[in-house]
Amino acid sequence: MEALFSLVQRHNKVFRRDKTQVFFSLLSIIIVIILYAVFLQKMQVDAIEQVMKATPQLITLVNEWLVAGLLSMIAVSTTLAAFGIMVRDYESKATADFLTAPISRATIQFSHVLNAFFTGCIFSFLALLGCEIFLVATGGEWLSAGDFMQVVGLLMLSVLLASVFNLFLTLFVQTQNAFSTLSTIVGTALGFLCGVYVPIGALPSFAQQLIMYFPISHTTVLLRQYFMEHSLVKVFQNSPPSALEAYQIQYGLHYQLYGTTLSTMASFIVIVSTIILLTLLSVLIYKRKHR
Amino acid sequence: MKINGYTLDAKQDNAHIRQSIGVVFQQSLLDERLTVRENILHRGRAYRLSKTQLAENYQFVSKYLHLADIEQQKYGTLSGGQKRRADITRTLIHRPAILFLDEPATGLDPQTRQFVWQTIKQLQEETNMTVFLTTHYMEEATVANEVVVLKQGQIIAQGTPDALKTQYAHDQMALVFHQREEGLQWLVAQGLSYTEKLNIFSIRVKSTLHALALLQQAESLLASFEVVKGTMDDVFIHIMEGDVA
C-alpha cells in the first residue's frame, strides 16, 4: 500500500511540475473556450433567437451548454495526459528502476490508473469551480448544494470512464512518439465526438450516430441535463413543448436513436457498462502483454 | 540459482530477492523535476521499510555520498557526477546486500569516476556488501576481487585479476640499440621474435626477471629500454582474440 501511494504521489508530482504537459493537456479546452468567445456563442444565440425572443436567460442557457461540454472534455484530456507519464516511464526505463524494488508490475500499472483518476478529479473540480464563477459572472445562478454534489458525483463518474478509456488506448502505445500522436488525435476528435464544437443536430445523420455510439459523449449529455435544467424551464416557459423537445434533440441534451429518445438512465447504463467492459478488456490486454 | 539465500524464479522469494539487491543503471533514471531528496524517498518507499528506518537509511547513505549540498536541488539541474551520486544513493536506500552496477562510470569525468569508485570500494569494505560491476574500463576491473569475462553472454574467462594477468597478459620490453644491425643480429641469435617500429624493437618477456637477464646480456648494445607490465587491457584483448600468453 505504502509503495502504491508513493508511486501515485510521485506520478502526480512529475505531472504537475511539467508545466508544458499540463498546458498541452488543457489545449483542446482552451481552443474550445476561444472558439466559443469568438463566434460559437453568438451563432447559437442567433439560431435560437430566430424561433423565440432573446432573454438574459438564453445567454446563460448557452453558457451552461458550453460548460457541460468543457467539463466532459477536461476529464478525458487530463487523464490521458497523466498516462503520458506511464509511457515515458516505460520508454526511459524508469519502470525498470521501479521494478528493482519489491513491487509488482501490476502495482505500477494500477498506480498510473489511480494517478490518472486523481489528476482528472482535481482538474475537473477546479474546472467546475471556474465554470461556476463564469456562469454566475455572466448572469447565471450558483448550483444549489444538492445539485453541486450531484454534479461532482457525475464528474467523478466521467473521470472514471475517461481513465479506463485512456488506459485502454495507452495499452496499445509503446513510445512517446506514438503517444503524442494519440494525444493529438484524441484532442482533436474529442470536441466533435462530444458534440461541443458543433451541436449534434447540425451534423449529418451518420455523424450523429457516431457521436451517440461514443460512450464518453453520454457524460456530456448528462452534464448538460444537470447544468441546464433550470434555465431550460425559464427560457422555454412560454414556448410549446415541441419547441423544447426540438431544442433538446438539436443540442444533444437527449439522444434520439432509431426514433426513440434515450432516457437519462440509458446514458448512465452506457457509461457504467463501458467502464466495466473497458476495465475487463484492459486487464486482458495487460495480461497478454506481460506473459 | 540462489541470490542472498533466496531462490531465483521461486515466487515466494521474489520480493526478498528484490529487497536484497540494488541496481545502478547505465542511464540516469530519476525524475528531472523532483528534488534529489524527493526522488530518493519516493523510490525508497517502495521497499519494506518503516518510516523511521527509511529516514535513518536516508541519513546514513546521503551522508556517505555527500548529498547535503544537492539534496534540495531538482535532479534535472545536476551535473553528470552529481546525478550519479544521487543514483547511487537511491540504490542504497534500502541497504541492499548485493549491489549491481551497469557501467556506472561511463561518460563521467576522471575525478567523478574516482569519487564513484572510492565510494563503492569504501561501502563494500565497511558494509560487507557484494558488488557486481559491469564495465568496459579495464582499470576498474583491476581492483576487483574476481573478474569474469563474458563474450556473447558466455563466460570465457574467470579469476582474480592477478591470475588472469599471469595467464593472459605478458610483459613487453622495448629496446633501442646503438647500432640497429648489431641489435638485430643479437635478437636473431637469441631466437627472440620481435616487432619493429621506428627503430624500436618490442619483444615479449616472461617476467621482469627474464627481462633483466636479457638486458644484462645486451647491455653494451643498448641505447635505452623500457619494460611494460601486462595490464587488464591486454588480458581482455588476448581473451577476446582467444590467445593465451
Side-chain angles (χ1 to χ4, degrees):
Chain A
M1 267 326 222
E2 173 73 6
L4 181 66
F5 289 145
S6 174
L7 281 173
V8 175
Q9 278 177 9
R10 173 261 176 193
H11 302 332
N12 201 263
K13 272 186 199 162
V14 170
F15 180 74
R16 274 188 289 128
R17 290 189 192 170
D18 190 346
K19 298 287 184 288
T20 343
Q21 207 178 4
V22 172
F23 173 76
F24 276 105
S25 77
L26 299 174
L27 189 60
S28 54
I29 283 95
I30 294 168
I31 291 172
V32 177
I33 294 176
I34 292 171
L35 288 180
Y36 189 75
V38 175
F39 67 95
L40 282 182
Q41 183 192 37
K42 190 170 178 315
M43 266 172 58
Q44 281 198 28
V45 174
D46 287 353
I48 304 168
E49 258 180 356
Q50 294 192 335
V51 286
M52 65 175 66
K53 238 177 50 215
T55 54
Q57 278 92 16
L58 180 57
I59 304 279
T60 301
L61 181 79
V62 175
N63 285 346
E64 284 167 347
W65 185 85
L66 166 86
V67 159
L70 271 188
L71 288 174
S72 65
M73 282 176 73
I74 252 182
V76 180
S77 64
T78 53
T79 49
L80 180 60
F83 278 112
I85 306 218
M86 179 178 88
V87 178
R88 194 161 69 188
D89 280 358
Y90 271 108
E91 206 177 34
S92 73
K93 300 211 170 64
T95 307
D97 183 60
F98 286 125
L99 282 172
T100 65
I103 38 179
S104 69
R105 232 174 238 288
T107 307
I108 296 174
Q109 180 70 55
F110 186 56
S111 72
H112 284 292
V113 181
L114 272 185
N115 176 51
F117 180 74
F118 287 136
T119 306
C121 284
I122 292 165
F123 277 94
S124 293
F125 189 73
L126 290 177
L128 173 61
L129 296 183
C131 287
E132 275 292 273
I133 291 168
F134 163 72
L135 287 178
V136 173
T138 53
E141 284 166 23
W142 295 103
L143 285 171
S144 70
D147 282 350
F148 186 80
M149 290 319 292
Q150 280 183 323
V151 168
V152 168
L154 190 53
L155 282 180
M156 285 174 74
L157 186 69
S158 76
V159 171
L160 183 62
L161 172 63
S163 301
V164 291
F165 177 78
N166 288 322
L167 165 68
F168 179 75
L169 291 183
T170 40
L171 279 174
F172 294 99
V173 168
Q174 316 285 345
T175 62
Q176 287 200 67
N177 262 336
F179 180 78
S180 68
T181 310
L182 175 71
S183 304
T184 311
I185 294 171
V186 171
T188 316
L190 194 61
F192 289 104
L193 286 174
C194 290
V196 177
Y197 290 147
V198 186
I200 187 168
L203 294 170
S205 72
F206 81 90
Q208 291 194 11
Q209 290 206 2
L210 186 69
I211 289 176
M212 290 176 202
Y213 281 117
F214 181 61
I216 292 177
S217 78
H218 287 262
T219 64
T220 324
V221 167
L222 293 179
L223 282 166
R224 281 178 190 144
Q225 290 173 7
Y226 275 94
F227 270 101
M228 298 167 77
E229 198 182 356
H230 299 295
S231 301
L232 275 178
V233 175
K234 285 181 198 152
V235 170
F236 288 91
Q237 57 188 347
N238 297 320
S239 315
S242 63
L244 173 63
E245 201 184 323
Y247 174 82
Q248 287 176 321
I249 302 294
Q250 176 79 11
Y251 284 87
L253 276 85
H254 287 294
Y255 283 163
Q256 206 170 38
L257 199 57
Y258 307 119
T260 40
T261 305
L262 297 184
S263 65
T264 305
M265 187 46 83
S267 288
F268 267 113
I269 292 170
V270 168
I271 293 170
V272 173
S273 41
T274 309
I275 291 173
I276 296 170
L277 184 72
L278 286 179
T279 307
L280 291 176
L281 280 177
S282 298
V283 171
L284 278 178
I285 293 170
Y286 173 81
K287 282 197 167 162
R288 279 191 65 165
K289 241 170 109 174
H290 304 286
R291 108 192 92 127
Chain B
M1 190 158 95
K2 287 205 173 241
I3 294 174
N4 201 29
Y6 301 106
T7 311
L8 192 69
D9 288 335
K11 230 183 165 113
Q12 72 279 7
D13 282 2
N14 191 312
H16 292 292
I17 290 176
R18 292 201 247 173
Q19 184 79 22
S20 341
I21 63 165
V23 184
V24 177
F25 290 84
Q26 204 173 348
Q27 317 96 308
S28 297
L29 296 176
L30 298 181
D31 298 309
E32 305 258 307
R33 286 182 178 78
L34 267 54
T35 67
V36 171
R37 190 186 156 86
E38 284 174 322
N39 260 307
I40 294 167
L41 290 180
H42 268 304
R43 308 227 177 176
R45 279 166 62 193
Y47 293 92
R48 292 160 186 193
L49 299 170
S50 67
K51 274 208 165 66
T52 45
Q53 186 68 56
L54 181 64
E56 272 173 28
N57 284 5
Y58 182 79
Q59 282 298 326
F60 178 82
V61 258
S62 64
K63 212 165 166 185
Y64 226 101
L65 273 293
H66 308 295
L67 283 198
D69 52 331
I70 56 166
E71 67 176 356
Q72 296 302 341
Q73 278 186 49
K74 296 267 164 73
Y75 182 74
T77 66
L78 302 180
S79 70
Q82 291 171 325
K83 280 187 177 167
R84 242 6 359 193
R85 264 152 68 192
D87 295 343
I88 295 174
T89 315
R90 174 259 173 268
T91 309
L92 296 173
I93 190 66
H94 56 298
R95 311 288 310 275
I98 307 169
L99 180 65
F100 292 91
L101 301 115
D102 183 14
E103 300 187 23
T106 304
L108 294 181
D109 61 87
Q111 195 196 349
T112 316
R113 206 186 300 165
Q114 279 298 322
F115 172 81
V116 166
W117 256 100
Q118 278 165 13
T119 313
I120 295 168
K121 191 97 186 113
Q122 194 185 350
L123 262 165
Q124 184 208 6
E125 280 160 7
E126 289 176 22
T127 63
N128 250 334
M129 189 169 58
T130 306
V131 179
F132 274 90
L133 179 115
T134 62
T135 182
H136 284 134
Y137 293 115
M138 288 306 121
E139 49 176 303
E140 279 181 6
T142 312
V143 295
N145 301 97
E146 178 90 6
V147 176
V148 174
V149 184
L150 294 173
K151 189 178 183 178
Q152 292 169 351
Q154 301 294 318
I155 296 178
I156 55 171
Q158 188 173 2
T160 63
D162 276 341
L164 287 177
K165 272 191 210 166
T166 320
Q167 198 181 348
Y168 293 100
H170 36 73
D171 300 347
Q172 293 261 352
M173 184 156 64
L175 303 169
V176 178
F177 299 103
H178 293 300
Q179 297 291 324
R180 183 180 170 277
E181 305 312 320
E182 279 177 24
L184 203 56
Q185 276 170 21
W186 177 76
L187 285 170
V188 174
Q190 293 293 319
L192 294 165
S193 61
Y194 62 89
T195 55
E196 187 192 356
K197 205 177 179 183
L198 300 168
N199 285 339
I200 301 168
F201 292 88
S202 295
I203 58 171
R204 222 184 232 202
V205 289
K206 290 190 199 82
S207 64
T208 337
L209 282 174
H210 179 217
L212 185 61
L214 289 172
L215 285 170
Q216 280 166 348
Q217 276 186 42
E219 199 176 350
S220 59
L221 306 171
L222 282 171
S224 74
F225 72 93
E226 187 183 9
V227 180
V228 185
K229 293 284 290 173
T231 63
M232 285 303 283
D233 276 341
D234 300 330
V235 172
F236 182 77
I237 293 165
H238 287 130
I239 291 174
M240 283 301 160
E241 286 168 354
D243 128 37
V244 178

